Amino acid sequence: IQLSYGRIGDVYCSPTARWPKGKHTYIIAMATKRPATVAEYIKAAPAAGQPHLRRLQALLEAAAPKATVAIKWGNPFFIEPRFLFAWSAHKAHLSFAPTAEALEHFRKDLAGYDTTRHFLKIRYDQPLPEALIRKIAKHRVRLLRERKGESFW
């Protein structure tokens, strides 16, 4: 059992869960190894999404060959030397995060996709919109290279 709160070694008691009968249920928070590389991240993702994640990674690497790829805040980030884009894996979809400005620039092209202000969400049972992702990624690379200033974001 993995808990998303508490310190390693903490013991939690649930008086409402009775198992075995008449006993309290105790859960001990265990350490979990976080992925240190993109390959480990993809391997830890849901099996249904792994082909999409591998293809997305390849598309982004091709669009930004000079970028450094690192796991930051638990997700793959492309940095050149500032934030370029990131992506994350979820139970039934992936999220591609180029920036709010980049998504706004392609708002018409994104009309048929699930988006938020910062993310393009693609379900694993949908085809990956490769041409659109490639266009957005190249746009981000161009904007970043034209930008002045030292801010990471």
Side-chain angles (χ1 to χ4, degrees):
I1 295 175
Q2 178 182 349
L3 297 176
S4 59
Y5 57 87
R7 294 181 307 267
I8 296 169
D10 284 354
V11 177
Y12 301 91
C13 173
S14 172
T16 57
R18 304 268 181 198
W19 183 86
K21 188 172 180 151
K23 302 287 183 184
H24 292 298
T25 301
Y26 293 92
I27 301 170
I28 301 174
M30 303 300 289
T32 57
K33 185 176 180 270
R34 292 179 179 247
T37 66
V38 174
E40 290 175 5
Y41 185 92
I42 292 171
K43 188 177 178 182
Q50 290 178 13
H52 269 35
L53 302 175
R54 281 191 290 274
R55 185 66 188 138
L56 177 64
Q57 181 68 18
L59 288 170
L60 299 178
E61 286 174 350
K66 295 180 182 177
T68 301
V69 182
I71 302 293
K72 292 190 173 291
W73 296 283
N75 297 309
F77 269 61
F78 283 72
I79 303 158
E80 193 183 298
R82 290 168 246 154
F83 174 79
L84 197 51
F85 31 72
W87 59 268
S88 56
H90 303 277
K91 181 178 179 182
H93 74 278
L94 67 85
S95 292
F96 172 49
T99 62
E101 295 82 8
L103 289 176
E104 190 56 40
H105 183 79
F106 291 95
R107 187 60 54 202
K108 288 180 184 175
D109 297 325
L110 293 166
Y113 296 96
D114 188 10
T115 61
T116 67
R117 183 166 178 250
H118 296 278
F119 300 106
L120 165 60
K121 295 186 198 176
I122 303 156
R123 290 191 330 260
Y124 299 140
D125 62 357
Q126 292 178 312
L128 198 62
E130 293 185 18
L132 180 56
I133 290 169
R134 197 176 294 110
K135 279 180 16 180
I136 294 170
K138 287 181 178 182
H139 176 74
R140 277 294 299 145
V141 170
R142 187 175 56 256
L143 288 179
L144 188 71
R145 290 184 180 157
E146 293 171 355
R147 199 174 107 192
K148 306 286 187 242
E150 297 298 319
S151 170
F152 179 73
W153 300 104

